[in-house]
Amino acid sequence: MKQYKLQKKAPDQSLNSGRGSTRQEIDEIAKHIAGHIEKNPAKAARLFESWLNGKPNRQLKKKAA
């Protein structure tokens, strides 16, 4: 049985830039989320609960081939 060495990938620098977020970026994100909550509070609550529980927000249905 042959064994192969896996090469380690470099970590993605875009996700962990180290500079943090500015107050303006945080305010824009908060306004964006607030707009979604105002449009459909029930859906927002379901998404938040599923996020807290670590479950996917919906099950994808498999289509028959």
Side-chain angles (χ1 to χ4, degrees), residues 4-24:
Y4 296 97
K5 272 191 175 177
L6 297 177
Q7 295 178 358
K8 290 185 180 180
K9 293 183 179 179
D12 189 11
Q13 296 297 328
S14 63
L15 295 177
N16 190 8
S17 63
R19 75 169 171 85
S21 298
T22 64
R23 183 68 186 169
Q24 185 179 9

Side-chain angles (χ1 to χ4, degrees), residues 36-37 39-48:
H36 283 293
I37 292 171
K39 287 180 187 174
N40 194 345
K43 183 178 179 182
R46 283 194 314 270
L47 289 172
F48 185 70

Side-chain angles (χ1 to χ4, degrees), residues 40-63:
N40 194 345
K43 183 178 179 182
R46 283 194 314 270
L47 289 172
F48 185 70
E49 286 294 323
S50 68
W51 175 75
L52 282 178
N53 295 330
K55 298 177 185 173
N57 58 356
R58 63 184 174 99
Q59 294 280 340
L60 294 176
K61 293 183 180 179
K62 294 181 180 178
K63 294 182 179 179

